[in-house]
């Protein structure tokens, strides 16, 4: 598969050639933990032991690298397992990480509660303010950790600009691309060094698999170090998870098109509803990151949030009354989800700089019929 093939062609074929022995058009689910050697050290296709490499995982990794236009992709047991492996590879005691002020709560917890015990320091910074970002950098800064769009406020950071600041400081730019997916945004092409994914979300796309990935750009040495860590630390994804993510990836493009068409319809409805005080969606011209989003993304995605004029109780009521939107955490699946970040996904952020407004509701807009989604929100918002 060549990089000149279009995104959907790569999604369906990269790393997924028909099986040479059987002609299977779908990559088989390889459950074997060990592989017969043709004489001592005579490995077939490099396979030895399934933590080190497994053919189903290889296929997924090649597909992910092709979609992100990276050199190497590595699949992990979860998004956080990928992040942990990355941090432990590029940081050492005394290293410093600058992370966006509203990074994913689990990322913040990993850095502030776990990595900190091994001497890794961190500073939250507003990535939209280059002066504040530069001021947060120290000589020991190894990583700038950027998420765009963010959760649940859909803030946007300028990836190219942040990459420049990171590289001036001799640091790596890591971009968590979970919300956009590679269909809408390819951070490596904008200067990022590593892309992180929770494949649990849009890449898997069907709310039936937990997984994570790292994708590395041109830096061959970094790719090699991370591949070493993947095997040495062992937080690899299992073959069934790999198979499910690979299956999900085949329809990523068509799903994302529908997610964002539906999101745009829902946004339009919410903007016209008297119970709604404001809507956060990067596709809106008055969103503070709209211009940057329009520049670095090929669409605005399926995530949005909105605030209720009548406050927290009204927000809770909408979440509880919704029927087509399922009240649940997570995002990026075919089914629409609704949640109350202050009490659910972001409850642990209460009292911290990451605290979110109590009257905020977050939607992961699925691929159902837009009319049904709008009718559902209409009844849930009725007084
Ligand atoms: C879910 C999520 C993660 C963590 O991934 P897991 O697969 O749950 O470990 C990281 N970043 C973002 C933006 C996420 O939404």
């Amino acid at each position: 598969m060549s990089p000149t093939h279009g995104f959907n062609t790569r999604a369906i074929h990269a790393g997924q050639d028909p099986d040479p022995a059987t002609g299977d058009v779908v990559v088989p689910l390889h459950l074997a933990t060990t592989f017969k050697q043709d004489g001592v050290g005579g490995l077939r296709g490099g396979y030895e032991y399934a933590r080190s490499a497994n053919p189903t995982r290889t296929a997924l990794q090649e597909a992910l690298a092709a979609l992100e236009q990276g050199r190497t992709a590595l699949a992990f047991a979860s998004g956080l397992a990928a992040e942990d492996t990355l941090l432990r590879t590029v940081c050492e005691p005394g290293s410093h990480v600058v992370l966006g002020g509203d990074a994913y709560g689990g990322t913040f917890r990993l850095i502030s509660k776990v990595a900190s015990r091994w001497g890794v320091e961190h500073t939250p910074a507003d990535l939209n303010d280059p002066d504040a970002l530069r001021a947060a950098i120290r000589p020991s800064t190894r990583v700038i950790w950027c998420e765009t769009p963010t959760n649940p406020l859909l803030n946007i950071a300028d990836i190219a600009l942040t990459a420049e600041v990171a590289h001036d400081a001799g640091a790596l730019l890591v971009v968590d691309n979970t919300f956009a997916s590679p269909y809408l945004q390819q951070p490596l092409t904008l200067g990022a060094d590593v892309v992180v994914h929770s494949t649990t979300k849009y890449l898997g796309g069907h709310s039936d698999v937990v997984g994570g990935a790292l994708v590395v750009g041109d830096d061959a040495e970094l790719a090699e170090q991370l591949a070493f860590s993947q095997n040495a630390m062992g937080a690899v994804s299992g073959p069934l998870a790999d198979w499910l993510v690979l299956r999900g990836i085949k329809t990523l493009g068509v799903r994302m098109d529908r997610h964002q068409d539906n999101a745009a319809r829902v946004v339009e409805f919410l903007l016209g509803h008297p119970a709604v005080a404001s809507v956060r969606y990067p596709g809106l011209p008055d969103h503070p990151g709209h211009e940057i989003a329009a520049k670095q993304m090929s669409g605005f995605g399926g995530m949005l949030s909105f605030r209720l004029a009548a406050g927290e109780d009204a927000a809770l009521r909408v979440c509880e009354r919704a029927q087509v939107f399922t009240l649940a955490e997570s995002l990026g699946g075919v089914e629409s989800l609704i949640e109350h970040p202050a009490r659910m996904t972001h409850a642990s952020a209460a009292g911290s700089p990451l605290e979110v407004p109590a009257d905020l509701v977050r939607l992961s807009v699925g691929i159902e019929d837009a009319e049904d989604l709008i009718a559902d929100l209409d009844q849930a918002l009725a007084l």
Side-chain angles (χ1 to χ4, degrees):
M1 196 49 35
S2 120
T4 59
H5 283 105
F7 186 92
N8 294 299
T9 307
R10 281 178 277 143
I12 292 166
H13 296 292
Q16 303 165 75
D17 285 342
D19 188 76
T22 61
D24 280 303
V25 298
V26 171
V27 171
L29 172 56
H30 289 274
L31 293 172
T33 56
T34 189
F35 303 87
K36 177 180 163 60
Q37 303 190 9
D38 297 318
V40 175
L43 308 183
R44 297 185 192 177
Y47 296 104
E48 180 176 23
Y49 177 62
R51 169 168 34 74
S52 309
N54 159 299
T56 313
R57 193 169 88 226
T58 302
L60 170 60
Q61 293 181 159
E62 286 180 10
L64 286 169
L67 296 189
E68 288 286 2
Q69 305 199 47
R71 154 192 291 275
T72 302
L74 300 163
F76 293 86
S78 68
L80 282 173
E83 297 184 14
D84 179 42
T85 303
L86 172 61
L87 287 167
R88 284 195 282 154
T89 303
V90 301
C91 295
E92 56 191 14
S95 297
H96 177 246
V97 176
V98 176
L99 77 165
D102 54 353
Y104 177 71
T107 302
F108 188 69
R109 181 175 57 199
L110 175 66
I111 293 172
S112 65
K113 297 259 174 24
V114 181
S116 61
R117 294 177 51 222
W118 304 93
V120 174
E121 297 169 346
H122 68 279
T123 308
D126 179 356
L127 301 184
N128 283 307
D129 177 348
D131 293 334
L133 176 57
R134 284 202 175 84
I137 289 172
R138 304 176 189 169
S140 58
T141 302
R142 281 293 287 138
V143 171
I144 295 182
W145 194 286
C146 168
E147 211 176 296
T148 181
T150 63
N151 177 15
L153 293 173
L154 290 310
N155 287 321
I156 303 293
D158 186 325
I159 296 172
L161 193 72
T162 314
E164 242 178 75
V165 176
H167 297 154
D168 283 351
L172 298 171
L173 176 64
V174 174
V175 176
D176 183 334
N177 202 26
T178 300
F179 263 45
S181 90
Y183 184 63
L184 300 181
Q185 175 171 279
Q186 293 160 18
L188 299 176
T189 66
L190 300 166
D193 300 286
V194 183
V195 163
V196 171
H197 276 290
S198 170
T199 56
T200 314
K201 315 294 168 51
Y202 284 109
L203 286 161
H206 296 73
S207 305
D208 54 9
V209 57
V210 172
L214 300 175
V215 191
V216 186
D218 293 334
D219 190 337
E221 195 184 330
L222 178 62
E224 204 171 298
Q225 288 166 347
L226 290 168
F228 174 85
S229 293
Q230 182 195 40
N231 181 49
M233 296 175 188
V236 294
S237 48
L240 179 58
D242 295 330
W243 192 89
L244 285 167
V245 175
L246 207 46
R247 160 178 264 211
I249 281 175
K250 288 178 190 282
T251 56
L252 179 65
V254 287
R255 283 188 287 110
M256 291 311 293
D257 283 342
R258 178 65 171 248
H259 280 297
Q260 56 187 3
D261 284 354
N262 279 356
R265 298 271 305 272
V266 166
V267 164
E268 193 186 301
F269 163 76
L270 290 172
L271 284 173
H273 199 286
V276 175
S278 61
V279 179
R280 297 282 295 192
Y281 185 62
L284 289 171
D286 66 351
H287 184 285
H290 175 70
E291 273 176 36
I292 299 165
K295 185 182 70 175
Q296 69 188 16
M297 301 173 76
S298 58
F300 302 107
M303 297 299 299
L304 63 102
S305 54
F306 61 99
R307 297 179 72 169
L308 276 295
E312 178 171 23
D313 287 347
L316 293 170
R317 209 167 48 237
V318 173
C319 292
E320 284 161 9
R321 279 194 187 175
Q323 289 168 5
V324 180
F325 280 85
T326 301
L327 177 59
E329 298 188 358
S330 198
L331 60 108
V334 291
E335 63 287 298
S336 292
L337 302 179
I338 189 167
E339 68 122 359
H340 185 258
R343 296 230 186 160
M344 295 171 63
T345 47
H346 291 65
S348 64
S352 83
L354 296 167
E355 185 172 296
V356 295
D359 57 8
L360 187 80
V361 170
R362 186 190 79 179
L363 301 180
S364 171
V365 180
I367 65 171
E368 300 96 335
D369 293 294
E371 299 72 29
D372 293 329
L373 299 179
I374 289 168
D376 189 39
L377 291 171
D378 199 28
Q379 67 78 24
L381 285 162
L383 288 175

